[in-house]
Amino acid sequence: MSDSGSGAERVVLRAVESRDIPALFQFQLDPDSNRMAIANPREAEPFRLHWEEILRDASVVARVILLDDQLVGNISCFKLEGLDSVGYWIAKEHWGKGIATRALRLLLDAVALRPLHARAARSNAASIRVLEKCGFRIAGYEWVKATDRFPACEEARLVLD
């Protein structure tokens, strides 16, 4: 899956491989990324185990995002609380380039499931904007309690029919 991108940059999705896990781990450690996503970074071993479980689950569509052959993030389609959902993470140094939007469009072209759901912290305007550009609409907001992975916050719940 690839797009022509803007200018010379090209976004490509490929299946996540175990060799990608160390780079994905480093991306999720960034404090600014965690503040924006309202997330807590995982330690190395729980992160590795989480991704090994994802890679074993045939129902999950997990892709790395490549920009001109450089790994810059990940995107996936998975079940969350029984709903077909999407999520993504872009390395901070690649924010603001339209990569998340391009990657999400590629994933949506490849995944026929509808409706698809997404969640984003209400304060994460950039992620909500990406989802809306790709046809998701805000279905409502909900206050969610803290977990080990996510602090309590108000989430936007989005859906793509």
Side-chain angles (χ1 to χ4, degrees):
M1 295 178 261
S2 70
D3 81 345
S4 57
S6 58
E9 293 180 331
R10 195 169 89 139
V11 173
V12 176
L13 303 183
R14 72 157 166 76
V16 176
E17 300 170 359
S18 58
R19 67 184 169 103
D20 300 318
I21 294 173
L24 299 178
F25 173 73
Q26 290 302 312
F27 296 159
Q28 65 93 42
L29 289 177
D30 179 72
D32 292 334
S33 297
N34 283 293
R35 270 191 294 280
M36 180 180 277
I38 315 292
N40 297 318
R42 289 186 171 105
E43 293 184 15
E45 187 63 8
F47 186 86
R48 183 186 63 76
L49 292 172
H50 171 75
W51 272 98
E52 285 179 359
E53 183 178 324
I54 289 169
L55 296 177
R56 283 191 304 271
D57 187 342
S59 71
V60 174
V61 177
R63 301 290 181 258
V64 290
I65 303 167
L66 303 173
L67 179 66
D68 291 336
D69 299 321
Q70 178 186 0
L71 197 154
V72 298
N74 66 279
I75 190 165
S76 57
C77 181
F78 52 92
K79 289 276 189 195
L80 180 63
E81 297 177 0
L83 300 174
D84 292 312
S85 301
V86 298
Y88 45 86
W89 194 278
I90 306 294
K92 180 185 170 187
E93 59 269 23
H94 297 285
W95 291 356
K97 298 178 182 179
I99 295 167
T101 301
R102 288 156 48 199
L104 182 54
R105 285 182 177 143
L106 290 171
L107 185 73
L108 295 176
D109 286 346
V111 174
L113 295 170
R114 300 293 185 273
L116 283 175
H117 300 265
R119 298 177 180 183
R122 187 173 188 158
S123 61
N124 190 345
S127 190
I128 292 170
R129 189 169 46 254
V130 165
L131 291 158
E132 289 179 327
K133 282 182 186 178
C134 292
F136 284 79
R137 63 176 170 75
I138 295 175
Y141 299 94
E142 180 179 346
W143 184 261
V144 294
K145 295 180 181 180
T147 66
D148 289 345
R149 177 74 173 124
F150 300 102
C153 75
E154 187 176 23
E155 283 185 340
R157 304 288 175 114
L158 296 99
V159 65
L160 175 68
D161 295 310

